[in-house]
Amino acid sequence: QLVESGGGTVQAGGSLRLSCAASRATFSSPCMAWFRQAPGKEREGVAFSDTDGSTAYADSVKGRFTISKDNAKRTMYLEMNNLKPEDTAMYYCAADKYGGSCLTPFGYNTWGQGTQVTVSS
């Protein structure tokens, strides 16, 4: 239903673009988001989007990460610039949230398998 790609290893200050390809049914979800989980840490919401174009970001990535969607390709993206070693994590896309604002991290029900991002110092 959700398939991430685009992860890799990059030096600090570099950029990556993650992609999340969705099935037709899943992409119709009004809420889609990116999360990440570093070893030994809890999963955290990184970027969120709503169908009205509203977006929200974790404070740690504001100004560096951008979430976007291509409706024709049924794909969501996460553009990541000025990457830092602390951005190293497995990144997951998520969709299908029932109830509550799309722009908060709680209640997402459909998840991809993840793509690894490693930022070296």
Side-chain angles (χ1 to χ4, degrees), residues 29-110:
S29 168
C31 301
M32 295 189 75
W34 287 96
F35 290 75
R36 67 186 181 187
Q37 187 167 20
K41 295 187 176 182
E42 292 187 356
R43 185 174 61 197
E44 65 169 335
V46 173
F48 309 89
S49 71
D50 200 340
T51 50
D52 65 359
S54 301
T55 58
Y57 298 89
D59 288 343
S60 58
V61 307
K62 278 181 183 176
R64 300 188 297 121
F65 289 14
T66 303
I67 188 172
S68 63
K69 292 192 288 187
D70 185 328
N71 292 332
K73 295 182 178 180
R74 295 202 306 270
T75 300
M76 179 175 67
Y77 301 99
L78 184 67
E79 185 75 35
M80 305 185 295
N81 297 314
N82 190 21
L83 283 161
K84 304 176 180 181
E86 51 264 42
D87 294 318
T88 295
M90 185 71 79
Y91 284 71
Y92 300 90
C93 60
D96 294 333
K97 178 174 180 178
Y98 306 113
S101 170
C102 295
L103 307 183
T104 62
F106 310 107
Y108 278 86
N109 294 288
T110 300

